Amino acid sequence: MCDSLLVLNINVTERKLGWFTEEISQTLQCILLRSRYLHQYCASDTSTCRRKMEVIELGEVDLNCPSNCQIHNTHFFGTDRQIIRRGQAFSFYARFQNREWDDSVDQAIFTVETGLRPCESNETKCTFPMGRCLDQTCWSASYKIHQPKCINISVFPPSSACIGRYILNMQITSCGHTYQRCLGDFYVLFNPWCADDPVYMDNQAHREEYVLNEHGILYEGVHKHITSRPWHFGQFEDGILDICLKILDMGASYHHGSDRDHCWRNDPVHVSMVVNHMISSHTTNSIMKIPENNDYLKGTKPFSWNGSVPILQQWYNGRCRPVRYAYCGSLASVMCTVMRCLGIPSRVVTNFCFPCSIENPLGINEIFDCTGKNLCGKDKLWRYHCWNESWMARRDLNQCCGDWQCLDPTPLETGRGSTCSGPTWVRSIREGELDLDYDGHHMFSRVNSNYVGWLSQNNAKKIKFFCDAWPCGQHLITKSVGSEQFEDITGAYKYELGSVKNKEAYYRAYRRIHPGYCNASNCHIERELSSLKNPFLSDSGINMRLKMANCPMYGEDVQLHWLLENLRSENKNLKFNLCAQIITYSGCPMDQFWKDSVNVTLGPREVKKIPLCISYSQYGPYLCDHNIMKVVAVSDPECGEVLMVSRDIVINRPPVIVKVKNFNYGICDLRNRLRDSYWPTPRYNDEKI
């Protein structure tokens, strides 16, 4: 029985074990299937995660130069380089090779640097991240999706950024991995279109004239006969921008000793001072040199230049040695080219009757002998002088808006050596506020000096003439906006002669120039000035003037009318010596080529006209590049009071007419304005005596 029970238990156990084994087998199969599913799912998810966390690979970068240059008004330089203006964003495209940009795992940091020793402390180096929006108070960058695997990146250079050539680097951190790439270089210029830039100019027509126009006109001659000739500034010509930046490199030590950093390049005031100094005042590397004693045999004639580009190229290719030779017009024009190229609105100004005095800042003396010959003295009365005006807001003077600043690159003797002048706020010159600015007293004296004429006798004694002297700085002009006519800007430099405001400004300036008069009354100063001036011709009872009877071209005789009027009811018997002499534009007397002597008798209240003629055969052999002669009539000192009248005469070069045969349109006349040809005005201006 026990055996049978044992067998029964064994059978039951086997059946239970079989069922249990089957259950275990099914369970194991289910676990296996789930395991396989989970393995496949995890493998798939891991692959997706691996792809998502892969380091992003930067591919091609398109700097978008043509579009940026067009937007920044720099496409005149060409569109093959990134040339932008500060205070305005520029954009470019970055493409990626393997996936989309993801802010959660990808970050970009940009670095811009300029100069030989970039440094964040002097703002020649800046590092900034790329975000979703721009910060217009500093260097910043943002992006937006442009195309699959491509983003459009915008970089904003602040309106206080240094100008010059920059290197742009991009650092990408992705999935814990960091790498860098240099994206290339770009140029930053001043921005007259940006309201936050000190050089901002709100008139589009003025921006086109004073920044974008490559063609200008130089006005020369004398105040009664203004001539003009074209000048090609060429600020957008190939290589000129790099030359202009080289000028800043060479002049970096002007204000900063041996420090060659570029931190001062964010300020148009300091940039203009460096450029002004480099034009002709640098000891070894100035751009141009003025001939000594009008001797230019070792270089190019100063008046043969007709554009800035060949001058700048010759300086650059000649290892930055001065180009020979220059005169005030070419110096001011080259400076205008450099300033416009850098983005600072600029123009050339001509001042007629420009005094250059060493001893007395507010007085200019001319000395003549008894024949009327102009003797060479220390003082010079330039027939005209050109300088540069640049537009900027002077933050150093707390100016909130832009205005014209006077910059004279021509080195002139001032009693402390030869130096250039400026920048000087033009309005401060008009107001006589000379303590506000650089070289204010020099610029004021150049438009407000008093002329004094002297007769030198054999015993070295000098006596004053009776003459009607023109005041210095009586006519200041520049090219009109969008026109070849000139614009009279005398009113910007001085109030109307004789007005209350004009006298107040003069007294104010006189006290600053002459410290001994700082507490003097206006009447005291006026008496002092009256004692220095020449007595008027009318005080002697005689009026005289020399009036042009023709507008002489080269090769023609000079014809004048000498007008005399007796203002008194008694006879006048006078003996006059007449002469003609070549004068340079800078007031240096040259050869005296014509002399004559005339006895004049005038009855009571009589008016007489005496014709004078100077033939071409007399003046032709002596006429130089300046084309200016001076005719003088001076009374004999033995007759009593010494009377003098003079006239500066410009001999015009004839225009060249080129006739071109065109089979479609017939014959057309083209006036070829050659570099050494003038555009004569039709007649002399004799409306003012």
Side-chain angles (χ1 to χ4, degrees), residues 93-96 100 144-152:
Y93 300 101
R95 292 178 172 83
F96 303 102
E100 300 288 345
K144 60 183 178 180
I145 302 299
H146 176 62
Q147 291 176 351
K149 300 182 182 179
C150 179
I151 60 175
N152 179 280

Side-chain angles (χ1 to χ4, degrees), residues 335-616:
M335 181 170 186
C336 186
T337 295
V338 177
M339 299 295 273
R340 289 186 182 185
C341 180
L342 298 177
I344 302 177
S346 298
R347 64 187 183 184
V348 178
V349 172
T350 302
N351 174 22
F352 293 94
C353 293
F354 173 83
C356 186
S357 175
I358 298 177
E359 297 178 351
N360 182 8
L362 291 174
I364 180 74
N365 298 284
E366 273 197 322
I367 304 173
F368 300 83
D369 65 12
C370 59
T371 68
K373 181 180 180 180
N374 191 340
L375 304 178
C376 186
K378 293 181 180 179
D379 295 349
K380 298 289 187 301
L381 181 62
W382 292 35
R383 270 46 193 174
Y384 66 89
H385 180 59
C386 300
W387 62 62
N388 192 82
E389 279 186 359
S390 294
W391 181 273
M392 64 189 76
R394 296 286 301 278
R395 302 294 165 82
D396 55 323
L397 301 181
N398 296 320
Q399 294 178 7
C400 58
C401 300
D403 206 345
W404 290 112
Q405 316 292 328
C406 179
L407 293 140
D408 189 353
T410 303
L412 297 173
E413 291 293 335
T414 61
R416 297 179 300 168
S418 181
T419 181
C420 58
S421 302
T424 307
W425 187 21
V426 171
R427 189 176 300 178
S428 71
I429 299 173
R430 185 180 65 178
E431 301 295 337
E433 298 287 353
L434 308 187
D435 294 339
L436 290 178
D437 219 342
Y438 302 99
D439 306 312
H441 59 294
H442 294 317
M443 297 309 304
F444 183 88
S445 66
R446 292 170 188 178
V447 296
N448 288 284
S449 288
N450 294 302
Y451 173 88
V452 185
W454 300 88
L455 175 68
S456 177
Q457 297 179 310
N458 294 332
N459 58 2
K461 180 182 177 181
K462 295 189 299 182
I463 59 175
K464 289 180 183 177
F465 291 121
F466 282 79
C467 66
D468 295 334
W470 282 87
C472 298
Q474 59 190 298
H475 201 189
L476 292 98
I477 62 174
T478 188
K479 180 183 177 299
S480 296
V481 175
S483 169
E484 292 186 352
Q485 303 299 317
F486 65 75
E487 175 187 357
D488 190 334
I489 58 171
T490 309
Y493 281 85
K494 55 199 300 186
Y495 289 106
E496 184 179 357
L497 190 65
S499 66
V500 174
K501 288 187 175 181
N502 176 258
K503 291 181 179 180
E504 289 176 350
Y506 194 93
Y507 297 148
R508 192 179 298 116
Y510 196 91
R511 293 186 179 96
R512 286 168 170 77
I513 293 175
H514 300 286
Y517 289 83
C518 61
N519 296 318
S521 66
N522 293 346
C523 294
H524 186 187
I525 296 175
E526 188 62 40
R527 286 195 300 268
E528 181 70 18
L529 294 174
S530 298
S531 67
L532 298 175
K533 295 178 181 178
N534 288 90
F536 294 106
L537 279 171
S538 57
D539 296 336
S540 69
I542 297 289
N543 261 346
M544 295 190 299
R545 61 183 295 199
L546 290 169
K547 184 177 181 179
M548 297 301 302
N550 69 336
C551 186
M553 293 283 186
Y554 190 82
E556 296 179 350
D557 296 343
V558 177
Q559 298 178 11
L560 303 95
H561 290 149
W562 182 18
L563 305 178
L564 300 97
E565 180 183 5
N566 186 359
L567 302 177
R568 295 179 180 170
S569 301
E570 58 187 32
N571 292 333
K572 291 282 186 178
N573 296 309
L574 299 169
K575 179 183 178 181
F576 285 92
N577 296 318
L578 294 91
C579 79
Q581 186 178 8
I582 299 297
I583 299 289
T584 68
Y585 83 99
S586 57
C588 295
M590 306 290 281
D591 299 309
Q592 185 186 45
F593 59 85
W594 176 76
K595 290 191 295 183
D596 200 356
S597 182
V598 178
N599 292 312
V600 178
T601 300
L602 294 172
R605 307 290 180 178
E606 181 182 2
V607 177
K608 185 172 287 187
K609 179 190 293 186
I610 301 175
L612 302 175
C613 181
I614 304 173
S615 66
Y616 170 72

Side-chain angles (χ1 to χ4, degrees), residues 117-125 162 259 261-264:
R117 296 188 301 272
C119 178
E120 292 185 358
S121 61
N122 59 28
E123 300 180 356
T124 56
K125 179 181 179 180
C162 298
D259 188 6
D261 64 48
H262 290 48
C263 62
W264 52 271

Side-chain angles (χ1 to χ4, degrees), residues 180-364:
Q180 294 186 17
R181 183 192 289 189
C182 178
L183 303 184
D185 62 350
F186 65 100
Y187 295 79
V188 176
L189 305 179
F190 291 109
N191 192 354
W193 285 263
C194 175
D196 295 328
D197 199 305
V199 302
Y200 172 65
M201 182 174 272
D202 62 358
N203 189 303
Q204 176 61 18
H206 289 188
R207 289 192 293 253
E208 291 177 357
E209 179 67 46
Y210 301 131
V211 180
L212 303 181
N213 192 0
E214 292 189 87
H215 304 284
I217 297 176
L218 300 186
Y219 296 99
E220 301 169 344
V222 296
H223 66 279
K224 285 190 175 182
H225 187 86
I226 298 173
T227 61
S228 59
R229 64 192 186 101
W231 188 273
H232 180 60
F233 294 116
Q235 66 267 28
F236 301 117
E237 295 286 338
D238 290 343
I240 295 301
L241 176 56
D242 292 311
I243 295 176
C244 293
L245 295 179
K246 180 67 173 180
I247 292 171
L248 298 185
D249 290 340
M250 299 300 294
S253 60
Y254 176 56
H255 287 294
H256 304 274
S258 60
D259 188 6
R260 308 271 303 177
D261 64 48
H262 290 48
C263 62
W264 52 271
R265 294 193 183 188
N266 67 341
D267 185 358
V269 174
H270 287 290
V271 169
S272 64
M273 294 177 75
V274 170
V275 174
N276 198 28
H277 174 73
M278 281 296 299
I279 295 296
S280 190
S281 296
H282 196 281
T283 53
T284 57
N285 299 114
S286 62
I287 297 173
M288 298 195 80
K289 184 177 181 180
I290 297 176
E292 297 179 0
N293 302 319
N294 295 304
D295 180 12
Y296 38 79
L297 295 177
K298 295 182 180 180
T300 303
K301 291 182 179 181
F303 289 89
S304 65
W305 300 106
N306 70 341
S308 306
V309 174
I311 296 172
L312 292 170
Q313 289 175 339
Q314 184 174 330
W315 174 80
Y316 186 77
N317 296 329
R319 297 182 179 181
C320 304
R321 296 296 179 183
V323 176
R324 305 182 184 205
Y325 286 104
Y327 80 110
C328 64
S330 57
L331 295 177
S333 299
V334 169
M335 181 170 186
C336 186
T337 295
V338 177
M339 299 295 273
R340 289 186 182 185
C341 180
L342 298 177
I344 302 177
S346 298
R347 64 187 183 184
V348 178
V349 172
T350 302
N351 174 22
F352 293 94
C353 293
F354 173 83
C356 186
S357 175
I358 298 177
E359 297 178 351
N360 182 8
L362 291 174
I364 180 74

